[in-house]
Amino acid sequence: MAVQRAPKKLAKFFDYILSRRPDEFGLVPDADGFVKIKEFLKAVGEEDGFRYVRRAHLNEIMLSVPGHPFEISDNYIRSTTRDRLPQHRCTMEPPKLLYTCVRQKAYPHVHEKGIRPAGHPRVILSAARAMAERIGRRLDHSAVTLTIQTQTSMDQGVIFFQAGENLFLADFIPAQCFTGPPLPKDQPLLKKPDASAAVPARKPAGGYHIDMDDPQAALVPKSKRGGHPDGKRIRKPKRKRERPPWRR
């Protein structure tokens, strides 16, 4: 079981993430420095020994730590000191290969139409495959990893922005500028049985079948159909029951 840190130590760790190196944890703050609390807690929980951290720990820090280093607005959180946050700047020399992940269900569409932002204003890319997969698992545990050729992308007019040491952003990645695993083969559809095909009627097992539409069926003697030849009902003799000894 992980040892829980004191609120003051947690606050110091959170300040490092939000005010200095959000990219180190796969986070990209917006223009005002905010990140979603849900994403922030997922990123913190991925670190060894911090899986226990919940929203309640943020509230505890705000109540118990004087001058706490972050502020919360609705479902977003940001640092109170943002002058050291990495700025998003355009780069003309990105790494030759960048990586990103998409949802497994969306992959066939992405494979045909290209990569568009999901949950963020821009597509988040990473120079490290492991970081891209870490970010992708926050959206889908079965996320598909894609490899982007940056030179081919720039030839198609894509502009890359650097957001920290290893994270990059783009508005859109065309379909011909990345590679990924082969698409799953379409499963052959099973043919449904033809409802118009006549199904042969089953005859009852045993006994004598009488076709009620056949006028000759009435001429069949009852002895053939069961019962007395004269048409009388055969009655079984009644069994005489003896009185119990205690009633005699």
Side-chain angles (χ1 to χ4, degrees):
M1 184 176 179
V3 178
Q4 297 193 13
R5 273 73 171 176
K8 190 173 182 179
K9 289 187 176 181
L10 272 182
K12 188 175 181 180
F13 178 50
F14 295 166
D15 180 50
Y16 174 78
I17 298 174
L18 294 170
S19 68
R20 298 186 186 184
R21 292 298 308 276
D23 58 294
E24 185 179 334
F25 301 87
L27 296 172
V28 180
D30 63 15
D32 297 319
F34 282 106
V35 297
K36 292 181 180 179
I37 292 178
K38 185 177 181 179
E39 291 184 7
F40 174 75
L41 293 177
K42 285 183 178 180
V44 172
E46 291 164 356
E47 298 297 314
D48 292 338
F50 290 91
R51 193 172 182 178
Y52 68 91
V53 175
R54 298 291 185 271
R55 175 72 180 260
H57 294 91
L58 301 178
N59 298 334
E60 183 182 6
I61 291 172
M62 296 181 70
L63 292 173
S64 62
V65 178
H68 48 271
F70 58 82
E71 56 187 7
I72 291 177
S73 176
D74 295 330
N75 294 320
Y76 292 83
I77 185 172
R78 71 176 180 180
S79 173
T80 54
T81 56
R82 300 178 295 278
D83 55 321
R84 288 180 290 182
L85 273 176
Q87 300 299 313
H88 300 177
R89 64 181 188 276
C90 176
T91 176
M92 300 303 296
E93 296 182 355
K96 292 182 179 180
L97 298 177
L98 292 174
Y99 304 92
T100 191
C101 290
V102 297
R103 297 179 188 271
Q104 188 177 45
K105 289 184 178 180
Y107 180 45
H109 178 78
V110 170
H111 187 273
E112 180 182 358
K113 301 295 185 180
I115 309 173
R116 296 188 179 277
H120 194 273
R122 287 174 173 160
V123 180
I124 300 177
L125 312 163
S126 175
R129 184 186 183 97
M131 175 56 74
E133 292 175 346
R134 174 177 172 177
I135 298 172
R137 283 193 295 269
R138 297 172 190 170
L139 298 175
D140 184 356
H141 289 289
S142 302
V144 179
T145 305
L146 305 177
T147 304
I148 292 87
Q149 289 81 29
T150 56
Q151 186 59 54
T152 305
S153 301
M154 289 189 291
D155 292 343
Q156 294 290 328
V158 176
I159 299 175
F160 290 100
F161 299 86
Q162 190 163 1
E165 186 174 334
N166 291 315
L167 292 187
F168 295 81
L169 307 173
D171 294 323
F172 173 69
I173 304 294
Q176 62 270 27
C177 299
F178 63 86
T179 58
L183 291 173
K185 294 182 179 180
D186 295 332
Q187 297 292 334
L189 297 176
L190 297 177
K191 292 184 178 180
K192 295 183 179 180
D194 188 1
S196 61
V199 180
R202 292 186 177 182
K203 294 183 179 181
Y208 182 81
H209 177 69
I210 301 176
D211 187 358
M212 301 306 296
D213 296 331
D214 186 1
Q216 298 296 327
L219 302 179
V220 179
K222 290 186 177 181
S223 59
K224 297 292 184 180
R225 291 180 278 167
H228 196 275
D230 298 334
K232 296 180 180 180
R233 184 177 179 182
I234 301 176
R235 295 184 179 180
K236 295 182 180 180
K238 292 184 178 181
R239 182 179 177 184
K240 188 176 181 180
R241 299 178 62 182
E242 296 183 359
R243 298 179 67 183
W246 55 273
R247 283 193 174 184
R248 293 176 183 173

